[in-house]
Amino acid sequence: MTTIEALRTGEPAQQTGPPTPRLTWRQKLSQWDFRFSPYLYFLPFFLAFLLVGVYPMAYSGYLSFFSWPRYGADHGPGVGFANYAHVLTDPVFHKAFWNTIGIFLLSSVPQVLIATVIAGMLDTPLRGRTWWRMSVLLPFVVAPAATALIFGSLFADKSGLVNEIIRAVGLPGVSWHSDRFASWTAIATMVNYRWTGYNTLIILAAMQAVPRQLYEAAALDGASRVRQFLHVTLPSIRPTMFFVIVTATIGGMQIFTEPRLFDTNLQFQGGANYQYQTLTMYVFNTSNSGTDPYPRAAAATWLIVLLIIGIALLQFLVTRHLQRRAER
Amino acid sequence: MRHSTTPRKAAVGVALALVAGTMAACGGDSEASQASLGKDDVLTITTFSDFGYDALIEQWNADPDRPFSVKMTKIADWDPWKQTMTQALQAGDGLTDVVAIEGDAMPQFLTDGASEQFADLTDPSLDDRWVEYAYENAQTADGKQVAYPTDAGPEGFCYRADLFEKAGLPSDREEVKAVFESWDSYFAAGEQLTEELPETKWFDSSGAIAQAMLNQTQFPFQTEDNTVEVNNPELQNVWETVTSKVDTLSPRVVQWEDDWEAGFANDGFATIPCPGWMFSNVKSAAPDVEGWDFVDAFPGGGGNWGGSYLAVPMQSEHQEEAKELANWLTDTEQQLAAFEAAGNYPANVGAQEALAEENITDPYFNDAPTAKILANRAAAVEPGHPYKGDKYSDILGLFLTAIQRVDEGISPDESWATFEQAVESLS
């Protein structure tokens, strides 16, 4: 029996020592301190989490089954699943769903790929390594509102820099705000600008933990740097990649600031034709509309929660499948 | 936004809780002095855009005889302020002592449930202070005065005399009236100008023209008993007229956005419907352009675009003082000062008369007698047009968005179907 197992089962690790004397009050106190105070240190977080995390979620779930008068301060009579039915049959919700998926794919996929490649490059013995590593995080420090404003003017339809360049080459300018795919691309660009460096550093940290002997062995076997990257680095950082992909997914489902500030529509409904309204924008706008604002928004929120859980599960299954296949 | 991990969420939550706590504490402080405000106490007011009140409030605070001082918060745009205000009304907490409300949204604050959230400002001595329709627009059916009118929005047209001349159109302020005689003559002149000057469009945005035409209809969105009815000939006429001009006369930009603003200075368009409050926008967007002028005519008669109100929410703990401030700000002297500061044409009758007598001219608009023209335009406004039901502001937003879709290349039929769908889900 190892020590760890002994600790877990509560048996004394050493059976053969002299009988322990009765503990004094002080000793008991110090033992309790050792055993219980860590939980006390944690407690404030869980209390705060209960208050601002769990309670609002539970309450919004409750609320989603009621009606709400426009200027009332409290909910009206219950309506069963009517709010869910409204959201699920709302064509705007369907659009928001596909917009979110589209923007998510256009941002997360290139983001993770580019971050991995940059991390791989930063993992090599560079001159001024720390400087390079710091600088990839720079965009992350820029406030998202500032990012959105800058990119908003870069992607302005008539007077924006991007279109000026495109026209200078002789191509027709792109309607960044009215074309659905173009607007997704513009928004995804902002997201990528901000988050690629952040993911790079996480992946880099994982890469640093790969034992250097593996590379030495691979080099001795004559593997090129690219081969080393593909066959040593990538398999070794798989758990971290999984973490990065899941957090990117959750983030992707919650995109709000970028499309909201990119919006030129006076109603802020994500473009005149809802072409880039995301799910979180849908929730926000619904909570400002005239009929049953909060219950409908709450219903939409819970649908998004289910969606995120579903996607995370799917990713988990796919990753596990890949992992098993790799191990075989 | 993205990647927000749970601890961070919690931290934000704690921060919010702290802020909320501090605010609640502030509320508690003022509660102690609820009886009356002392010299050191502050009454708060929120306005949006530019009401022209900065100097007035400085003046109030500098006056040693005033019983309390005033602090104003200015929000840039109406739409976000409408959202904030609506939420604060529902929460029953968080509003300033006086709040500004945009005219198109006034009807929805008069409905049952909403009007109870505002103090009754009825004061028989003020009955004749304002233009009647503006005053009554802030009254509930049973006669409760929810708000005091500040400005009104009688509109003329601002136009580029230099571009008119280049295109062979009459450009003199008197002769050009013929162009703005009717919508037909107006659009016909537009065809001529855009043919002569292909880089320039005729009006500033489809939305502005749609608003101008809407303001001349009687029941655009709702019938008199507030039934939503958007399939009526009046609205169809506005829709078909405006969307049919998109290809030739519209610059296809959204009002208030960067591209729209650029159009003032770079010959992007030649005309724009101009209520008094639009002057400051024209001047700030094109400070160096010489050629902007202001005509004393409006296609199809008159029109009123905008106009705002001051109200006192029930949640204010100093309703008497708030009423006093709203009263003072909407009085003749102060309304005249606001007109000079921001160009907002007063709804106050005395101020309107004073402006007509003073014959103020504006050097920016080629010395046009702006006050006199606005007075004429105000006289041409047909009261009660359009009828604004409880959902007017909401449907108007959807309608303008529908027009924006056509500007962006969606077919009018498809855009109309989306509009109808959106209106349906309002109920």
Side-chain angles (χ1 to χ4, degrees):
Chain A
M1 183 184 282
T2 66
T3 322
I4 292 174
E5 277 169 15
L7 279 177
R8 193 163 34 194
T9 50
E11 294 167 39
Q14 284 179 325
Q15 304 268 17
T16 51
T20 41
R22 252 184 84 87
L23 291 176
T24 65
W25 176 243
R26 272 187 86 85
Q27 278 171 319
K28 266 189 189 162
L29 261 186
S30 117
Q31 209 176 38
W32 288 341
D33 178 36
F34 181 73
R35 281 170 71 179
F36 298 116
S37 45
Y39 296 98
L40 275 178
Y41 300 147
F42 267 118
L43 202 60
F45 163 74
F46 280 102
L47 286 179
F49 178 64
L50 213 66
L51 191 72
V52 302
V54 176
Y55 171 71
M57 269 184 81
Y59 182 68
S60 70
Y62 164 81
L63 201 58
S64 63
F65 296 102
F66 291 87
S67 63
W68 193 290
R70 179 154 194 180
Y71 289 98
D74 207 356
H75 65 74
V79 293
F81 281 90
N83 292 316
Y84 288 93
H86 172 86
V87 173
L88 282 173
T89 54
D90 187 352
V92 178
F93 183 77
H94 300 164
K95 269 201 155 166
F97 174 79
W98 290 114
N99 292 342
T100 309
I101 300 281
I103 295 172
F104 157 64
L105 288 178
L106 281 176
S107 57
S108 300
V109 174
Q111 192 185 110
V112 173
L113 287 179
I114 296 170
T116 316
V117 172
I118 297 179
M121 297 196 304
L122 289 177
D123 194 28
T124 55
L126 280 171
R127 198 186 287 264
R129 232 178 318 183
T130 318
W131 187 84
W132 287 108
R133 286 175 188 172
M134 294 288 287
S135 57
V136 296
L137 199 63
L138 205 61
F140 184 67
V141 185
V142 182
T147 314
L149 286 178
I150 294 165
F151 278 81
S153 81
L154 284 180
F155 285 111
D157 293 309
K158 293 212 160 67
S159 48
L161 183 67
V162 179
N163 266 353
E164 301 250 319
I165 294 173
I166 293 177
R167 285 199 207 97
V169 186
L171 297 167
V174 179
S175 312
W176 293 109
H177 286 87
S178 48
D179 183 76
R180 203 174 183 193
F181 187 74
S183 66
W184 292 357
T185 313
I187 292 165
T189 310
M190 296 183 215
V191 178
N192 289 340
Y193 167 79
R194 205 166 124 68
W195 288 97
T196 305
Y198 175 88
N199 286 324
T200 302
L201 284 201
I202 292 182
I203 297 171
L204 177 64
M207 286 179 176
Q208 304 258 288
V210 178
R212 297 288 126 171
Q213 299 95 307
L214 290 180
Y215 292 106
E216 283 162 26
L220 279 179
D221 285 344
S224 68
R225 293 216 69 100
V226 176
R227 269 191 87 94
Q228 285 178 29
F229 180 74
L230 291 177
H231 294 278
V232 178
T233 312
L234 283 187
S236 314
I237 60 167
R238 212 178 275 132
T240 306
M241 291 300 285
F242 179 60
F243 168 79
V244 167
I245 291 171
V246 169
T247 49
T249 308
I250 296 174
M253 290 292 124
Q254 296 178 342
I255 292 177
F256 178 81
T257 315
E258 287 88 354
R260 162 94 187 187
L261 290 171
F262 182 70
D263 210 341
T264 55
N265 179 262
L266 296 176
Q267 306 292 302
F268 291 105
Q269 57 180 33
N273 205 18
Y274 314 96
Q275 58 268 49
Y276 48 88
Q277 181 176 98
T278 59
L279 287 170
T280 35
M281 284 172 87
Y282 179 88
V283 172
F284 187 81
N285 290 348
T286 307
S287 76
N288 278 313
S289 68
T291 316
D292 296 337
Y294 299 120
R296 281 180 184 175
T301 315
W302 270 97
L303 289 172
I304 298 176
V305 169
L306 294 180
L307 187 68
I308 293 181
I309 293 176
I311 294 178
L313 260 179
L314 193 74
Q315 277 175 345
F316 173 72
L317 291 177
V318 170
T319 323
R320 200 177 58 171
H321 176 76
L322 289 178
Q323 193 115 11
R324 288 226 176 116
R325 212 177 55 177
E327 275 160 13
R328 225 178 277 145
Chain B
M1 241 347 271
R2 287 166 38 85
H3 295 274
S4 54
T5 52
T6 327
R8 203 186 297 159
K9 258 187 205 150
V12 170
V14 169
L16 284 177
L18 282 176
V19 171
T22 326
M23 278 160 67
C26 290
D29 282 347
S30 44
E31 216 161 83
S33 59
Q34 178 158 13
S36 68
L37 281 166
K39 271 250 173 283
D40 299 330
D41 293 316
V42 177
L43 193 84
T44 51
I45 172 172
T46 308
T47 61
F48 55 90
S49 179
D50 191 359
F51 274 55
Y53 287 170
D54 296 83
L56 288 171
I57 286 175
E58 254 173 59
Q59 181 194 330
W60 173 290
N61 288 340
D63 187 344
D65 295 335
R66 295 293 176 194
F68 53 89
S69 61
V70 176
K71 184 174 173 291
M72 178 168 67
T73 309
K74 280 209 280 188
I75 314 271
D77 297 315
W78 159 247
D79 293 276
W81 169 232
K82 177 186 173 186
Q83 284 178 2
T84 313
M85 185 162 64
T86 309
Q87 278 162 4
L89 285 175
Q90 283 164 339
D93 186 35
L95 284 180
T96 49
D97 298 307
V98 181
V99 295
I101 297 175
E102 206 267 335
D104 286 345
M106 201 61 232
Q108 79 191 39
F109 293 107
L110 299 180
T111 52
D112 292 342
S115 65
E116 288 137 37
Q117 314 259 15
F118 292 97
D120 189 356
L121 301 184
T122 308
D123 183 343
S125 69
L126 301 180
D127 274 350
D128 300 322
R129 179 185 272 190
W130 295 281
V131 182
E132 204 178 332
Y133 70 88
Y135 188 52
E136 284 173 358
N137 271 355
Q139 250 168 31
T140 61
D142 49 4
K144 174 179 175 181
Q145 192 69 32
V146 169
Y148 290 152
T150 56
D151 61 321
E155 16 179 17
F157 253 90
C158 296
Y159 69 100
R160 285 283 297 273
D162 53 334
L163 295 179
F164 272 47
E165 208 163 307
K166 270 194 210 164
L169 291 167
S171 62
D172 178 81
R173 204 176 300 131
E174 282 303 313
E175 287 169 30
V176 85
K177 279 185 182 174
V179 168
F180 297 95
E181 175 95 36
S182 68
W183 288 109
D184 287 338
S185 65
Y186 172 72
F187 290 127
E191 304 286 347
Q192 184 182 336
L193 181 130
T194 48
E195 219 157 90
E196 297 287 326
L197 309 170
E199 294 297 308
T200 302
K201 294 298 179 185
W202 181 235
F203 45 76
D204 71 302
S205 67
S206 301
I209 298 301
Q211 292 243 33
M213 298 187 81
L214 272 180
N215 288 332
Q216 295 176 335
T217 61
Q218 196 173 5
F219 295 107
F221 303 137
Q222 284 174 293
T223 57
E224 212 155 359
D225 58 352
N226 279 351
T227 314
V228 176
E229 173 55 61
V230 292
N231 271 314
N232 62 70
E234 280 190 308
L235 191 64
Q236 281 298 328
N237 176 40
V238 175
W239 173 255
E240 276 160 24
T241 312
V242 175
T243 54
S244 70
K245 307 299 174 197
V246 161
D247 283 335
T248 48
L249 305 182
S250 162
R252 297 171 177 245
V253 295
V254 187
Q255 215 167 22
W256 316 116
E257 293 295 332
D258 292 350
D259 286 335
W260 175 76
E261 203 145 314
F264 283 94
N266 64 13
D267 299 357
F269 57 86
T271 67
I272 174 174
C274 259
W277 49 260
M278 187 62 90
F279 293 166
S280 59
N281 290 300
V282 181
K283 289 175 192 171
S284 70
D288 303 322
V289 173
E290 288 174 19
W292 279 108
D293 207 329
F294 184 49
V295 65
D296 185 3
F298 200 80
N304 185 80
W305 184 8
S308 300
Y309 292 85
L310 294 180
V312 176
M314 285 305 267
Q315 49 185 274
S316 160
E317 280 155 6
H318 312 289
Q319 290 169 19
E320 274 313 306
E321 287 92 341
K323 191 176 161 186
E324 185 186 335
L325 179 71
N327 184 341
W328 183 75
L329 282 171
T330 54
D331 205 353
T332 310
E333 281 296 300
Q334 284 62 250
Q335 286 296 293
L336 281 171
F339 174 77
E340 296 205 10
N344 300 342
Y345 190 73
N348 180 305
V349 177
Q352 286 192 357
E353 282 163 4
L355 281 178
E357 274 170 31
E358 273 181 59
N359 201 19
I360 296 176
T361 59
D362 191 328
Y364 181 88
F365 290 105
N366 190 23
D367 291 322
T370 44
K372 192 156 182 239
I373 295 179
L374 285 173
N376 288 343
R377 296 331 308 150
V381 172
E382 224 171 318
H385 280 65
Y387 170 73
K388 291 173 184 171
D390 59 336
K391 294 202 168 74
Y392 183 82
S393 162
D394 295 333
I395 303 178
L396 175 65
L398 295 174
F399 187 73
L400 293 178
T401 297
I403 296 216
Q404 187 190 342
R405 278 196 291 273
V406 180
D407 259 337
E408 289 179 356
I410 307 263
S411 82
D413 286 345
E414 194 187 332
S415 180
W416 181 264
T418 311
F419 167 68
E420 279 192 316
Q421 164 75 43
V423 170
E424 200 142 303
S425 76
L426 277 181
S427 51

